[in-house]
Amino acid sequence: MSNGTQDETQGEPHHGPSQDAPAQDGADARTAVTVFVALGANLVIALAKVAGGLIAGSPALLSEAAHSVADSLNELFLLASVKRSTRAPDSRHPFGYGKERYFWSLLAAVGIFVMGGCFSFFQGVEALRSGGSESRTGYTVGLVVLVVALLAEGSSLLRALAQVRGQARATGRSIPAAIRAGDDPALRTVLAEDATACFGVLVAMAGVGLHLLTGEVAWEGWASVVIGALLMYVAYQLAKESRGRIIGEAADPALRQALARFLDRQPEIDAVTTLLTMRLGTRSTLVAARIDLVGGLDSEEVEEVLVRMKKEIRRRWPVADQIFLDVTEASADDRERARRERALLDKTVLADRERHAPGPHAGPHAPGPHAGPHAPDTGPPAG
C-alpha cells in the first residue's frame, strides 16, 4: 500500500518518561560514584607526588604532581558528562542532551593524550637527553610514591571493573564484550585511564629499579616513553569512539535486527525497505523506518496500526524512544536493496554472537550475549 504520507501525529519525539528511567538513573549514579573514586585516587596521587618532590627535591616528581592534577580535570569532564546528558529536551534540542556524554568524554580523551601521553613522552625524552642520576633518597621516595599511586589507581580500577561486571551480568555479555560495547563512555574512559595508569606505574617501577641497579637513567627514560606511547594510543581509541557517536552511530546490530524482525512480523506490513537507527545518548535511540503496508487499509486503520506498533516498540525496547514510521511504496529495487542489507545485518549479528558466546563451562542455562531487561526480540520473521 502507498498513500505517500508519513505518520505525522506519532512522528514527533517522545518526551514521556522512559519505562527504564529508574534503572538508567541507578546506572548513572553508579557511574558518578566510579568517577568520584577515580577523582579521589588522582588527588591522592597528586598529594603523594608533591610530598615526594619536596622531600627529595625532585623537579620530576613535582612536574608529575601537576600531571596528576591535570588528570583530575579529566574526571571533572566526565562528571559534567553524566550530569549534563540527563537534561530534558527543549525547543533548541528536541532530541535531548544525551550526546553531551560523548562530547565531554572526547574532551577527556584529548586531556589524556595531551596531559598524559605527550607529557610522559616529553619526560622520557628529557631523561634520555640529560643522562643524570638521583640520590638514593630520590630513588626511595620515587618508589614510595609509585607504590601509593599503584594502590590508589588499583582501587579506582577495581571499582570500575565491579561496575562493568554488573553491566555484563545484566546483559549476559562477557566482561571483555561489555567493555568493547562501551555503552557508558564515562565508565569506559575511567576504566581505560585506570588500567593504563596501573600498567604505567608497573613500567615506571621497573624503570626506576633498573636505573637503581645499573646506574643508567636511560631505563627511566624509556619507561616514560613507553608510558607516553601507550597513553596516546588509548586516548586515540577513546577519541575515535566518541567521535563516531557524536557524528551519529547506529544502534547495536542485535537491536537493529530485533526491530527489523518485529516489523516483519506485523501482518499489516508488506515490506520494510529502510530501517535507520542512531544513538542519541545512553538513554535514547532514534528509529526511522520506511514501510510499505498491505492494500485495503483506510486512513484511520493506518493511523491505528502505526500507533500500535510504536507503543509496542517502546514497551519492548524502552531505549528506542524516538520512532518515525514513513509509509511509502516499495519498488522492486527497494525490496532487493532491503534484502541485501538484512542479509548483511544477520551476518554481523551472527558473527558477534559467535565471538561473544559463553565459554564451554558456562552451562546450558547461561544467558546469551543479549540477555537482560532489554533483550532484543529475536524470534523468526513471519512468512
Side-chain angles (χ1 to χ4, degrees), residues 49 53 58-69 115 119 122-123:
K49 288 175 179 178
S58 170
L61 277 179
L62 291 174
S63 297
E64 278 291 324
H67 174 203
S68 295
V69 171
M115 297 180 290
F119 186 87
F122 173 77
Q123 286 281 85

Side-chain angles (χ1 to χ4, degrees), residues 293-377:
L293 298 180
V294 298
L297 299 177
D298 60 33
S299 59
E300 290 187 2
E301 290 175 319
V302 168
E303 183 177 358
E304 290 175 359
V305 166
L306 296 179
V307 169
R308 189 198 74 232
M309 287 190 291
K310 289 183 178 185
K311 286 183 177 179
E312 184 63 16
I313 288 174
R314 290 186 182 120
R315 186 188 69 80
R316 296 191 184 198
W317 303 282
V319 72
D321 61 340
Q322 310 286 351
I323 306 170
F324 299 82
L325 299 178
D326 181 15
V327 179
T328 186
E329 184 174 359
S331 66
D333 289 342
D334 291 334
R335 295 172 185 268
E336 177 59 23
R337 175 181 48 78
R339 187 195 64 78
R340 292 195 304 268
E341 292 176 353
R342 180 68 61 81
L344 180 60
L345 177 60
D346 290 343
K347 288 181 180 179
T348 301
V349 173
L350 180 60
D352 285 347
R353 286 179 180 168
E354 291 176 347
R355 185 163 59 250
H356 302 150
H361 304 294
H365 302 294
H370 303 292
H374 306 299
D377 180 355

Side-chain angles (χ1 to χ4, degrees), residues 99 101-107 109-110 173 176-189 192 232-253 279 282:
K99 288 193 176 184
R101 202 81 157 229
Y102 310 133
F103 170 74
W104 292 98
S105 296
L106 176 63
L107 290 187
V110 172
R173 296 185 178 114
I179 293 173
R180 283 192 295 270
D183 295 329
D184 189 338
L187 176 60
R188 182 186 177 96
T189 301
M232 288 179 183
Y233 173 76
V234 170
Y236 168 75
Q237 292 296 328
L238 291 173
K240 180 181 177 183
E241 184 80 15
S242 295
R243 171 184 173 272
R245 294 185 177 180
I246 289 174
I247 292 173
E249 185 178 66
D252 181 84
R279 295 190 185 196
T282 58

Side-chain angles (χ1 to χ4, degrees), residues 28-373:
D28 288 345
R30 289 190 293 274
T31 297
V33 171
T34 299
V35 176
F36 271 118
V37 170
L39 175 60
N42 280 320
L43 292 177
V44 168
I45 295 168
L47 290 174
K49 288 175 179 178
V50 168
L54 293 176
I55 293 172
S58 170
L61 277 179
L62 291 174
S63 297
E64 278 291 324
H67 174 203
S68 295
V69 171
D71 283 347
S72 300
L73 293 178
N74 286 341
E75 314 307 335
L76 295 179
F77 287 153
L78 297 179
L79 287 174
S81 77
V82 174
K83 177 67 175 178
R84 295 177 65 86
S85 65
T86 59
R87 288 184 296 170
D90 54 36
S91 59
R92 294 190 61 188
H93 298 87
F95 291 105
Y97 291 81
K99 288 193 176 184
E100 287 256 19
R101 202 81 157 229
Y102 310 133
F103 170 74
W104 292 98
S105 296
L106 176 63
L107 290 187
V110 172
I112 293 172
F113 185 91
V114 175
M115 297 180 290
C118 293
F119 186 87
S120 296
F121 199 89
F122 173 77
Q123 286 281 85
V125 171
E126 283 296 304
L128 291 173
R129 288 178 57 191
S130 66
S133 61
E134 295 183 43
S135 65
R136 185 163 294 275
T137 300
Y139 287 123
T140 303
V141 171
L143 287 171
V144 169
V145 169
L146 289 174
V147 169
V148 172
L150 182 61
L151 292 174
E153 294 286 6
S155 64
S156 178
L157 177 61
L158 289 175
R159 164 68 199 188
L161 283 173
Q163 185 173 346
V164 172
R165 188 181 300 111
Q167 290 183 352
R169 189 181 302 114
T171 59
R173 296 185 178 114
S174 63
I175 292 179
I179 293 173
R180 283 192 295 270
D183 295 329
D184 189 338
L187 176 60
R188 182 186 177 96
T189 301
V190 170
L191 185 64
E193 188 179 42
D194 288 344
T196 305
C198 287
F199 178 78
V201 169
L202 294 176
V203 172
M205 292 176 74
V208 171
L210 290 171
H211 184 185
L212 177 61
L213 291 174
T214 64
E216 293 289 336
V217 72
W219 289 109
E220 283 196 56
W222 284 114
S224 291
V225 169
V226 169
I227 294 169
L230 179 62
L231 285 169
M232 288 179 183
Y233 173 76
V234 170
Y236 168 75
Q237 292 296 328
L238 291 173
K240 180 181 177 183
E241 184 80 15
S242 295
R243 171 184 173 272
R245 294 185 177 180
I246 289 174
I247 292 173
E249 185 178 66
D252 181 84
L255 175 58
R256 283 148 49 200
Q257 183 192 58
L259 290 167
R261 289 184 171 184
F262 168 80
L263 293 173
D264 279 342
R265 287 199 298 274
Q266 304 309 304
E268 298 88 357
I269 294 182
D270 182 52
V272 180
T273 60
T274 302
L275 178 61
L276 303 176
T277 63
M278 184 171 64
R279 295 190 185 196
L280 301 176
T282 58
R283 298 167 175 255
S284 178
T285 297
L286 183 147
V287 178
R290 291 191 180 96
I291 57 177
D292 188 357
L293 298 180
V294 298
L297 299 177
D298 60 33
S299 59
E300 290 187 2
E301 290 175 319
V302 168
E303 183 177 358
E304 290 175 359
V305 166
L306 296 179
V307 169
R308 189 198 74 232
M309 287 190 291
K310 289 183 178 185
K311 286 183 177 179
E312 184 63 16
I313 288 174
R314 290 186 182 120
R315 186 188 69 80
R316 296 191 184 198
W317 303 282
V319 72
D321 61 340
Q322 310 286 351
I323 306 170
F324 299 82
L325 299 178
D326 181 15
V327 179
T328 186
E329 184 174 359
S331 66
D333 289 342
D334 291 334
R335 295 172 185 268
E336 177 59 23
R337 175 181 48 78
R339 187 195 64 78
R340 292 195 304 268
E341 292 176 353
R342 180 68 61 81
L344 180 60
L345 177 60
D346 290 343
K347 288 181 180 179
T348 301
V349 173
L350 180 60
D352 285 347
R353 286 179 180 168
E354 291 176 347
R355 185 163 59 250
H356 302 150
H361 304 294
H365 302 294
H370 303 292

Side-chain angles (χ1 to χ4, degrees), residues 15-31:
H15 298 309
S18 174
Q19 295 181 22
D20 65 338
Q24 287 286 357
D25 291 341
D28 288 345
R30 289 190 293 274
T31 297

